[in-house]
Amino acid sequence: MFNACKCRAAARGVALAVAILLLFPTVVNAQPLVSGLQGSAGSTVGPDGHLYVTEGATGTVQRINPSTGAAELFTEGLPPWVIPGLGGAVDVAFIEETAYVLVTLINFEGEPSGLTNGIYRIDGPDSHTIIADLGAFNLANPPQTAFAIPTGVQWSLEVFRGGLLVSDGHLNRVLQVTQDGAVSILRSFDNIVPTGMDVSGHTIYMARPGPTPHSADDGQIVSFGPGTGEPDLVASGAPLLLDVEFGRGRSLYALSQGQWNGDFAGSPAVENDGTLWEVNNDASLRLIADGINLPNSVEIIGTSAFVVTLTGEVWRYDEISDAPFGHARGR
């Protein structure tokens, strides 16, 4: 005989289980992949499917097997950081088989070094060519927003239309650079602090933590094209958003470093407050992983996320989405 009471009780149990999953999402098999990196900052997935991670302290890029964590030196000889913990080689991107590295904060007023803040094409294990002097461009083309460092503080590097995009979190703009080094301003913003980017077709997706104190209300992901018009809001609600990355299908993920530590403009978040989020269709964020210590960039390979931290580690978070189309677990 049909038992309505048991049916209602079962339904309530299912509803409670779903609510718990939404409130306390879990990630299967979070594990450290690499440690001991020196000034790790930006990352990309190369044409060989391996992770490439910059080291600002040493002016190097490491090539990392995402399955085993085995790391080998990809290139060296880039300018190391001048201020410990800030700048140097901060990001890397590939145009087909050729790698390009973004170097920043190594030559500026008060710390003249004669070196170049810009984009370096990697020609070999210990050789490179400067294709764009971004510091010189910024000195010749100052923004309308207030600034303290005229050469800027470049953050991320992304491939776009056969060239490269560079976000500048200090001068509040995105530059476009061709492979032969021609630099132009693609977009200028108010004081929103542009950080990590990803591209889908002709649309650019960008994280923006906003000005200090980088509140969760100011933490947004926006999208825009090369034309004019206001950027579209994609999602919001996490403090110090530093990166955004597409996964399987149309799944989009965002990386938050956490609550700002308040030391000075440009200082990181408090320890162990980082989070990884999946972007929902209603512009909200769904928590995938938390308790990450000072994350700085994220890459997605299959259903795994690889998070690079300022502490010299790469963490692997498996099963962040369901194969094959990338809907978030528990959604």
Side-chain angles (χ1 to χ4, degrees):
M1 175 181 279
F2 177 75
N3 191 317
C5 291
K6 287 184 178 181
C7 185
R8 286 194 295 269
R12 286 195 295 269
V14 170
L16 178 60
V18 171
I20 291 173
L21 283 172
L22 292 174
L23 287 172
F24 303 103
T26 58
V27 173
V28 175
N29 195 23
Q31 58 182 319
L33 186 71
V34 177
S35 62
L37 301 178
Q38 301 181 62
S40 48
S43 59
T44 194
V45 179
D48 58 359
H50 284 61
L51 291 169
Y52 290 77
V53 178
T54 60
E55 295 182 283
T58 58
T60 58
V61 177
Q62 294 289 333
R63 177 180 180 267
I64 299 169
N65 185 312
S67 298
T68 66
E72 61 180 348
L73 182 66
F74 173 66
T75 193
E76 60 184 342
L78 296 162
W81 62 31
V82 174
I83 304 172
L86 295 173
V90 294
D91 206 4
V92 55
F94 279 85
I95 299 179
E96 297 180 347
E97 300 292 325
T98 302
Y100 297 81
V101 175
L102 178 64
V103 176
T104 190
L105 273 182
I106 58 168
N107 186 13
F108 55 93
E109 186 177 357
E111 292 286 350
S113 65
L115 300 172
T116 300
N117 299 304
I119 298 175
Y120 292 63
R121 187 186 68 225
I122 304 305
D123 300 324
D126 57 1
S127 62
H128 54 260
T129 300
I130 300 168
I131 68 160
D133 187 335
L134 302 181
F137 177 86
N138 288 331
L139 285 171
N141 301 273
Q144 295 184 348
T145 54
F147 58 88
I149 303 174
T151 50
V153 181
Q154 292 78 50
W155 183 269
S156 67
L157 190 65
E158 191 67 34
V159 176
F160 183 69
R161 291 185 171 180
L164 295 160
L165 298 176
V166 178
S167 68
D168 193 313
H170 183 59
L171 301 185
N172 291 291
R173 58 193 184 187
V174 172
L175 302 178
Q176 187 169 13
V177 184
T178 66
Q179 291 187 53
D180 59 6
V183 184
S184 59
I185 300 171
L186 180 79
R187 281 284 189 130
S188 295
F189 305 97
D190 294 329
N191 187 21
I192 64 169
V193 191
T195 53
M197 300 180 291
D198 203 359
V199 170
S200 178
H202 298 294
T203 303
I204 302 156
Y205 291 76
M206 184 181 75
R208 44 160 288 185
T212 55
H214 309 302
S215 69
D217 290 339
D218 289 330
Q220 296 182 356
I221 299 166
V222 296
S223 66
F224 55 91
T228 59
E230 289 297 315
D232 294 322
L233 177 66
V234 178
S236 62
L240 253 179
L241 280 172
L242 296 186
D243 205 2
V244 59
E245 194 75 20
F246 278 100
R248 286 177 178 267
R250 293 293 299 170
S251 294
L252 184 63
Y253 298 89
L255 185 68
S256 163
Q257 200 174 83
Q259 180 184 345
W260 178 52
N261 68 15
D263 287 349
F264 56 87
S267 65
V270 299
E271 295 182 353
N272 300 306
D273 197 40
T275 46
L276 178 65
W277 304 84
E278 197 246 1
V279 176
N280 294 320
N281 293 329
D282 62 358
S284 65
L285 296 172
R286 180 184 181 277
L287 184 64
I288 298 295
D290 59 6
I292 310 171
N293 192 19
L294 298 177
N296 206 67
S297 66
V298 61
E299 303 300 328
I300 310 296
I301 301 176
T303 60
S304 297
F306 297 83
V307 176
V308 178
T309 75
L310 294 179
T311 60
E313 297 178 328
V314 179
W315 280 77
R316 175 173 174 156
Y317 295 86
D318 288 334
E319 299 185 43
I320 63 168
S321 62
D322 296 327
F325 301 114
H327 300 296
R329 292 176 58 84
R331 190 174 168 187

